[in-house]
Amino acid sequence: MPQRPQPIELWAALNPRQQTYLTAVYNADQAAEGRNKGGAFDWGHGPPASEWRWQTFCLKAPKEWVGRTVIQYELDAKDEHDQGAGSSLAALRRRALIEVTEDQVQTVLGWVPRVRVKLTTLGRATARAGLGHTAPKSPPRGMLSEWLWSNLVRLYRAGPDGMLTYSPRGTPPEERAPSQKARLFLERMDRKEGRFIKEHHVKSGEPYESLLNPGQMITPTEPRVFLTKAGRAHYEHHLRCYAELYPDIEAPVPEQLPEDAHVGLEAHKVHKPRGLLARPPFLLLTALVSADVRNDLWIRKEFHRYGSSSDSATADALAALPAGITHPHQVTRSVTAPTKLLTFRGGPLAAETVVSPWLDPWHRTREGDLTILHLTDAGRAHYAVNLPAYKATYEDVEAPDAPEEWESLPADQ
């Protein structure tokens, strides 16, 4: 069997023009990744990578009216014009380095054709190999991004006196207090440890008498930001892990680390026993279990709130629908998680039921059918039998207890 070509070999097989095109697509891909991952606000679930990795290559309309895309600007800067663009994209597509799709988009000229491209995993590896880039390490779950870690390091270095909340103009970057955006993330309360930083006003000088109100003493204060006990514990517990992740950040090492401090990133690796689901599909499975135990289905509540009929036939039809979830993406952004449950090798752990349009209160504004994802008996049995192993593997996931009768259900369907 012939060996699969290595990324560097694939890069060498491209001609200079194809390398330029792949580089332009790669740069656009990395810029999109930075916008969506690097310090992005996370009030809820953002779009999955399967959406934002698609980049607009061009609009098939005069540039004088619709302008140029980011990729076109880079190609123009390298004296690569649009002539032959189709053949270059086709060559990259044949090598499975990119995906290409064409649709239409609304512009000042009306609807015009749009060409979009997306790097494949192989294409990203090939571009990195050719450009000499290394793939960045993703921080394990619960750890900080490089940007937030650098802020935490500065606060740790500042010691118990903390730092002025707002750094004076001209303060060197390595001495600046965390920005308002960084403070917002480090103060989030959805961490088990609690807030990593705190802010309050402290005395900054001797009291003086008010000029406007003689006899009234005023104590000058200044806002400062401090590392909390939880923030200091996180720093010292994971210091050696962050040293592996972000070696360019010089973090001070205390004289003594906690006895249970991690020795490196190896401590964060999840060793999933064979036969268990990965984390995203397991999160979806727990959500289905919760809905099944509570006999909960969103469509029932919404129909009675917005529906136009409440006769017995409608009530019976709603009651006949299985309990489950209609929007799996609200549980996990993984687009493959539902498929993993539907095609589990030991038997489908979940099934899909399509809702009749007359039972869907939003069917007039919905594109496509409304589908309920719900548990099968095999899913109930799998969850009940393997729950102890799942809890040991994903300790931070709140997995509900399974009813006792689930353990006797057939595991295969």
Side-chain angles (χ1 to χ4, degrees), residues 74 80 90 129 143 146 162-163 167 179 185 280 306 312-313 320-321 348 366 370 384 390 396 401:
E74 181 169 344
E80 292 287 355
M143 296 188 67
E146 184 175 8
M163 307 176 73
S167 301
S179 65
F185 278 100
Y306 299 102
S312 58
L321 293 175
R366 187 188 307 282
L370 179 64
Y390 276 122
D396 60 320
D401 294 331

Side-chain angles (χ1 to χ4, degrees), residues 269-273 276 282 386-397 399:
K269 290 184 178 180
V270 176
H271 301 283
K272 180 176 69 66
L276 296 189
F282 176 63
N386 296 287
L387 184 56
Y390 276 122
K391 286 187 175 181
T393 304
Y394 308 115
E395 297 179 356
D396 60 320
V397 177

Side-chain angles (χ1 to χ4, degrees), residues 45-46 48 51 284 325-335 338:
H45 289 306
E51 295 180 11
L284 186 55
I325 296 174
T326 54
H327 299 83
H329 65 276
Q330 294 181 352
V331 178
T332 171
R333 289 187 293 177
S334 170
V335 295

Side-chain angles (χ1 to χ4, degrees), residues 293-339:
V293 170
R294 300 193 311 266
N295 193 28
D296 187 25
L297 181 63
W298 165 84
I299 188 70
R300 295 172 186 156
K301 301 175 183 177
E302 293 302 303
F303 191 92
H304 289 301
R305 184 179 303 174
Y306 299 102
S308 59
S309 174
S310 59
D311 56 29
S312 58
T314 301
D316 292 342
L318 288 170
L321 293 175
I325 296 174
T326 54
H327 299 83
H329 65 276
Q330 294 181 352
V331 178
T332 171
R333 289 187 293 177
S334 170
V335 295
T336 61
T339 304

Side-chain angles (χ1 to χ4, degrees), residues 234-285:
H234 180 87
Y235 179 98
E236 296 177 350
H237 189 78
H238 298 286
L239 177 61
R240 284 175 280 201
C241 303
Y242 284 115
E244 290 185 32
L245 275 173
Y246 316 124
D248 294 335
I249 298 179
E250 296 182 5
V253 181
E255 294 182 1
Q256 187 175 2
L257 290 173
E259 292 183 1
D260 61 343
H262 286 179
V263 297
L265 290 174
E266 181 67 26
H268 289 269
K269 290 184 178 180
V270 176
H271 301 283
K272 180 176 69 66
R274 187 177 181 86
L276 296 189
L277 294 165
R279 184 185 183 86
F282 176 63
L283 288 175
L284 186 55
L285 181 65

Side-chain angles (χ1 to χ4, degrees), residues 7 17 28 50 92 100 104 116 121 131 141 181 245 254 282 287 312 329 344 373 382 395 398 408:
R17 180 181 176 85
S50 59
L92 298 177
V100 183
Q104 290 194 335
R116 296 197 298 162
T121 302
L131 299 173
R141 183 172 297 274
K181 186 176 178 180
L245 275 173
F282 176 63
S312 58
H329 65 276
F344 190 70
L373 185 69
H382 173 88
E395 297 179 356
E398 296 183 5
S408 60

